[in-house]
Amino acid sequence: MAIALPSSPLSSAQLQSVAAGLRRWLTTRSIRAVPLFGPACAVALLAGCTGCLLMPALLPWLLSVCVVLLGLWLAWRGGRLRLLGMLLAGFGFTGLHAAHALDLQLPFALEKKVFTVSGRIDDLPVHESRRTRFEFIVDDDQPTPDALRGKRIRLGWFDDDLRAREVLKAGSRWRLPVRLRAPQGLRNPGGSDGEKQAMAARVTATGYVLEPSLAESLSPPTGISAWREKGSARIARAVPSSTSRFIRALALGDTRALNDDDWARLRASGLTHLIAISGFHVGLVAGFFAMLATAVWWLLPALSRWLPRPFAAGFGAVAGAFAYAAITGFALPTLRTAVMIAVLVLARCLRRHQRLADSLALACVVLLLLDPLSVLGAGFWLSFAGVAWLLWCLPDDAKGGVGVMLRGFIGAQAVATLGLLPLTVVLFGQASFAGPFANLLAVPWWSLVVIPVALLGLLLDTLHVGWGDSLWQLAAWCFDLLWPLLRATADSPLAMAWLPEPRWFALPLALVSAFWLMLPRGVPGKPLALLLLLPLLWPSRDLPPQGEAQLLVIDVGQGLSVLVRTAHHSLLYDMGPATRDGYDAGERAVVPSLHALGVHALDAAVVSHGDNDHAGGWPAVSRAIPVLAMLAPAGSPVPGIANCEAGQSWEWDGVRFRVLHPTAWFPYLGNESTCVLRIETAHGSVLLTGDMGEVIEHALLKRAAPDLRNDVVLVGHHGSAGSSSPAFIQAAGARLALISSGAGNRFGHPKPAVVRRWCDAGAEVVDTAQSGAVRVWLGKHGPQLQERRVSRPRLWDAAQRRNGAAGLCYRPET
């Protein structure tokens, strides 16, 4: 049976014209005409930079230098290989930058040592109820160790007295006793990559002030950061209402006062790109300086003899743009806008026509040459991709009345929503359905009213303290007119959806779909393009079939959290640690992992016992994920809906769950009251032991020895010396021993002797500190293992550089 294909809307003459144009583009002459700093070369350079950072390891530095030289020669020579030359130059240049950034990090031999460093607080310190976080630039002087001289470190100052920490001001100089370690983060599905962020920011070490009472102030605050902090404090005094936190963010990029609920609403409404300083701020400041320069030249006509008035306006715009970018710490959106303004002004001075696409390409090239590691940030992709979509889809002709401008603005929102949807889902794992509506209201009102008024107040306050108060109050009043509606929109249950982590091919297919959907009218097959979005918006959740189970030991640091999934049910065993106003594994590791795996509700949660490293993350998890049932030992500080007692059992999808400990009337004794859970599938079993020690191990050997034999065992108490007795290990007979511990933890877990006992018994030992999140399948082929750091290698992987490729069973006992 023949299938009728849709007829093309183009005539044969038009098709021949398109084919002829394609042939001309493919000729040598056309390729020779590719501008060195044009869009094609910018894309090639970007592809080289990105390709290098996707590699699992770096090339030797000498080979990277050769690649850069070869690329530059090909690019300068031109012809057919110019684009290849740009790609190679970007690849090698990025490799050199990445190698340098990793070499800046603290050597592992110096970790946990105490240093006394002097330097300057950079950017704005973040004050919390128990700690203050700040970045510190170490002085380049002789007493400081070579590994720290002139380097950037991230510190925490812990003190219950907030007033004692308020002396920490941006731009002030201090001498501090600190304990440091090389940057190492967690690796989980859906979680942020702290090691990548540290490399991109050239952070040498992280740590804390060892003894705050020994800290010594060397000089008062100075510089741009100090000016920003003082301006933020004056806005807070001038606007006593809670709205001042948004005015501070819009005027100065100071988002320290925004709480978790604020950020959640901004994400749900798709407005995070507006709340911090953006390129639009730079455009407003540049326009003001251009008008100011024009006014000066109009008042003093003699200046035109030296410099024409249009040139003066352009130079004023460039000066204002870069000055404001410097005030914001050269954030990527501001720097990109400043570079584009400089390109446009330069083209006008040279009397050359410069397309916006060429300006965007040159800005991309300049930023990559300044810092190729900027492609590691989500802001780089969102800012350049958004402008590129707009330049490609929207008409060049801006003439017309209000109706045309309104249609263009609505079209821009549609383009931004559809074009950036694939990147938003891949980068953040979420999609804002309220974003288009919220942006239609917030973009013009905030950009044309609230932000200009706030910036004008900032300028007047700079000229004289107090002059900007009334304008900041007016900006807050204007902000409050729209915020209740935006807040109600963001709080709607349909405002935002969390999407599971997609496969690698989902992003390119989604980009093709977006490109296809935004082709001109008449292009056939647009409804079919929607199918290409399915791998991104409806990815496979990799659920186990009937009678099988899947475990994910989440990398929570020094703590424990395990997700157990069957065909249609999910159980969470522990939620990791949390500290007040500090690290919360529930928020930073567990919840993102659940979202990335498509877990929207938990059928049950088990808190093994009340210790913080197991139960601290429970409040964050319970706020984000509905939990239908909860178990906890009787007397636990974290009460459950039902007591966890030996003899309890239930079955989900052919998988049986049984509680082995504690027994009825067992007193709550902390670790010894751990809820021990056995999971039995058709193809093997798992034993989750929490913090069970040798006392309970011996009790179970007497009471339920057959139940201790399992294919997979979660090693008790993170591999401490008080657990995993030889008799218990022999009774378990495990093929796989899982350990959840924090890298470089102060307890020294897992203990080498414990690891050796499991290895000698024939088990493969896997530790989250080295492997990241560990996923285990219990299927017909036996236990199958996937380690996050191994399956998704990254060149900045701290665990790989620290431990090498050797497994736990082969490391020397030290």
Side-chain angles (χ1 to χ4, degrees):
M1 180 178 66
I3 300 176
L5 296 175
S7 60
S8 172
L10 303 177
S11 65
S12 60
Q14 290 173 319
L15 290 174
Q16 292 175 1
S17 176
V18 171
L22 183 60
R23 284 195 299 271
R24 287 194 301 270
W25 186 83
L26 292 174
T27 60
T28 304
R29 181 179 179 183
S30 177
I31 294 179
R32 285 183 185 273
V34 173
L36 186 59
F37 298 103
C41 285
V43 171
L45 182 66
L46 177 59
C49 296
T50 306
C52 176
L53 294 173
L54 290 176
M55 298 289 289
L58 289 171
L59 298 176
W61 71 268
L62 185 58
L63 184 55
S64 294
V65 171
C66 294
V67 171
V68 172
L69 295 177
L70 175 61
L72 292 177
W73 180 75
L74 292 175
W76 183 259
R77 184 173 180 270
R80 296 177 182 273
L81 299 179
R82 167 164 284 181
L83 297 182
L84 176 61
M86 295 295 288
L87 187 145
L88 291 176
F91 188 96
F93 186 60
T94 304
L96 293 174
H97 269 263
H100 176 66
L102 293 176
D103 287 341
L104 291 176
Q105 295 187 359
L106 187 72
F108 299 130
L110 298 180
E111 288 190 337
K112 298 184 179 180
K113 293 186 177 180
V114 178
F115 301 98
T116 299
V117 296
S118 59
R120 173 178 53 85
I121 296 178
D122 189 51
D123 210 352
L124 306 181
V126 179
H127 298 288
E128 299 167 342
S129 63
R130 290 194 64 249
R131 70 168 178 174
T132 295
R133 296 180 285 114
F134 58 96
E135 294 197 351
F136 196 74
I137 306 297
V138 181
D139 289 340
D140 191 7
D141 54 13
Q142 190 63 32
T144 306
D146 292 340
L148 295 175
R149 291 180 190 172
K151 307 297 177 53
R152 176 184 298 271
I153 59 178
R154 288 177 177 167
L155 296 174
W157 178 308
F158 292 87
D159 194 331
D160 290 332
D161 187 1
L162 176 59
R163 293 183 179 180
R165 291 181 278 112
E166 287 180 343
V167 297
L168 295 171
K169 300 292 184 181
S172 60
R173 297 188 68 254
W174 289 79
R175 181 177 292 112
L176 305 170
V178 297
R179 177 168 283 157
L180 303 174
R181 57 172 292 178
Q184 180 163 345
L186 309 178
R187 287 290 298 277
N188 290 299
S192 61
D193 192 338
E195 295 164 13
K196 176 182 71 175
Q197 297 167 0
M199 186 185 76
R202 276 74 172 183
V203 173
T204 294
T206 61
Y208 59 94
V209 178
L210 189 62
E211 183 56 57
S213 62
L214 299 179
E216 180 182 355
S217 178
L218 300 179
S219 64
T222 58
I224 294 177
S225 296
W227 175 84
R228 286 181 64 202
E229 189 166 29
K230 291 177 182 177
S232 178
R234 289 196 292 269
I235 293 176
R237 289 193 297 267
V239 184
S241 68
S242 60
T243 308
S244 68
R245 66 189 190 277
F246 289 103
I247 304 304
R248 282 176 272 167
L250 290 170
L252 289 164
D254 181 6
T255 59
R256 296 176 297 171
L258 300 180
N259 55 38
D260 293 339
D261 292 337
D262 293 331
W263 285 115
R265 290 190 175 105
L266 291 169
R267 286 193 299 267
S269 55
L271 296 176
T272 52
H273 65 102
L274 285 177
I275 199 61
I277 289 180
S278 66
F280 186 81
H281 292 63
V282 181
L284 289 175
V285 174
F288 175 80
F289 273 79
M291 291 189 296
L292 183 62
T294 301
V296 172
W297 256 247
W298 181 78
L299 292 173
L300 302 173
L303 294 176
S304 298
R305 299 176 182 177
W306 304 96
L307 186 66
R309 187 190 303 172
F311 288 6
F315 293 150
V318 173
F322 277 96
Y324 194 68
I327 290 175
T328 66
F330 287 108
L332 181 62
T334 62
L335 185 59
R336 171 181 58 82
T337 306
V339 170
M340 291 185 67
I341 291 173
V343 169
L344 292 173
V345 170
L346 180 62
R348 184 173 183 181
C349 292
L350 297 176
R351 290 178 170 81
R352 295 184 59 183
H353 175 68
Q354 185 82 5
R355 299 178 305 164
L356 289 178
D358 296 329
S359 301
L360 181 67
L362 183 56
C364 179
V365 171
V366 171
L367 287 180
L368 291 177
L369 293 178
L370 290 174
D371 182 13
L373 301 188
S374 61
V375 300
L376 294 174
F380 178 93
W381 295 99
L382 293 176
S383 59
F384 277 101
V387 177
W389 276 120
L390 293 175
L391 291 179
W392 185 75
C393 293
L394 298 183
D396 295 332
D397 187 6
K399 297 179 181 180
V402 177
V404 174
M405 294 177 61
L406 182 59
R407 286 196 301 271
F409 178 71
I410 295 175
Q413 295 304 313
V415 167
T417 300
L418 182 59
L420 296 181
L421 176 64
L423 284 176
T424 303
V425 173
V426 170
L427 293 172
F428 305 112
Q430 61 188 33
S432 174
F433 300 117
F437 171 74
N439 276 268
L440 281 175
L441 300 176
V443 168
W445 184 249
W446 288 6
S447 300
L448 301 178
V449 179
V450 179
I451 294 175
V453 172
L455 291 179
L456 185 57
L458 187 63
L459 174 63
L460 293 179
D461 189 80
T462 302
L463 297 176
H464 188 277
V465 175
W467 284 3
D469 292 1
S470 59
L471 287 175
W472 288 330
Q473 294 166 5
L474 176 61
W477 181 81
C478 293
F479 182 90
D480 286 335
L481 291 178
L482 186 60
W483 179 243
L485 178 59
L486 297 175
R487 182 175 55 195
T489 303
D491 290 340
S492 168
L494 302 178
M496 185 183 67
W498 291 98
L499 299 174
E501 192 174 58
R503 302 289 180 87
W504 66 268
F505 54 80
L507 178 60
L509 289 179
L511 292 175
V512 171
S513 175
F515 177 82
W516 195 347
L517 290 171
M518 286 189 284
L519 286 172
R521 295 177 183 176
V523 174
K526 284 193 174 184
L528 297 177
L530 295 173
L531 297 177
L532 298 179
L533 289 173
L534 291 181
L536 182 74
L537 302 181
W538 197 5
S540 172
R541 295 176 56 196
D542 294 327
L543 292 172
Q546 185 77 11
E548 299 183 6
Q550 181 189 115
L551 275 75
L552 178 71
V553 183
I554 303 172
D555 184 9
V556 296
Q558 185 61 21
L560 177 65
S561 182
V562 182
L563 175 67
V564 183
R565 295 196 298 174
T566 64
H568 303 100
H569 294 81
S570 300
L571 176 144
L572 185 64
Y573 183 91
D574 285 342
M575 300 84 192
T579 58
R580 184 163 53 96
D581 285 326
Y583 168 66
D584 188 336
E587 179 182 0
R588 288 183 51 189
V590 180
V591 171
S593 297
L594 297 179
H595 285 155
L597 295 178
V599 178
H600 303 296
L602 292 168
D603 297 282
V606 177
V607 177
S608 65
H609 62 298
D611 286 2
N612 178 70
D613 58 335
H614 294 252
W618 164 246
V621 173
S622 61
R623 288 193 302 267
I625 306 290
V627 181
L628 303 183
M630 181 177 170
L631 296 175
S636 168
V638 183
I641 298 176
N643 292 334
C644 183
E645 293 182 2
Q648 291 174 321
S649 67
W650 65 94
E651 186 172 318
W652 290 338
D653 308 317
V655 178
R656 190 182 182 196
F657 295 77
R658 290 199 297 133
V659 177
L660 303 184
H661 183 77
T663 57
W665 310 109
F666 191 91
Y668 182 75
L669 300 175
N671 291 349
E672 306 307 325
S673 301
T674 289
C675 184
V676 179
L677 184 65
R678 189 171 195 257
I679 305 167
E680 305 165 1
T681 74
H683 308 286
S685 58
V686 181
L687 187 67
L688 303 181
T689 61
D691 273 356
M692 182 176 67
E694 291 185 358
V695 173
I696 304 304
E697 290 175 0
H698 290 309
L700 288 176
L701 283 171
K702 295 179 181 179
R703 178 165 46 87
D707 293 332
L708 298 184
R709 192 157 196 87
N710 294 273
D711 299 274
V712 181
V713 172
L714 181 72
V715 176
H717 204 189
H718 320 288
S720 73
S723 63
S724 298
S725 63
F728 174 79
I729 293 176
Q730 182 178 4
R735 299 165 58 183
L736 184 61
L738 307 177
I739 301 175
S740 178
S741 71
N745 64 85
R746 61 190 177 94
F747 306 102
H749 295 162
K751 296 296 183 180
V754 172
V755 174
R756 178 56 56 195
R757 288 201 293 267
W758 282 102
C759 292
D760 292 343
E764 179 181 359
V765 183
V766 181
D767 183 8
T768 58
Q770 292 190 18
S771 304
V774 177
R775 191 179 296 194
V776 179
W777 289 266
L778 282 175
K780 57 184 178 181
H781 300 295
Q784 301 294 314
L785 173 70
Q786 183 188 73
E787 301 166 72
R788 184 77 176 182
R789 292 184 184 270
V790 175
S791 63
R792 302 194 179 196
R794 298 290 184 265
L795 60 87
W796 52 81
D797 194 306
Q800 176 68 21
R801 291 184 290 113
R802 180 191 300 268
N803 303 305
L808 280 174
C809 287
Y810 301 98
R811 74 177 187 178
E813 292 191 13
T814 56

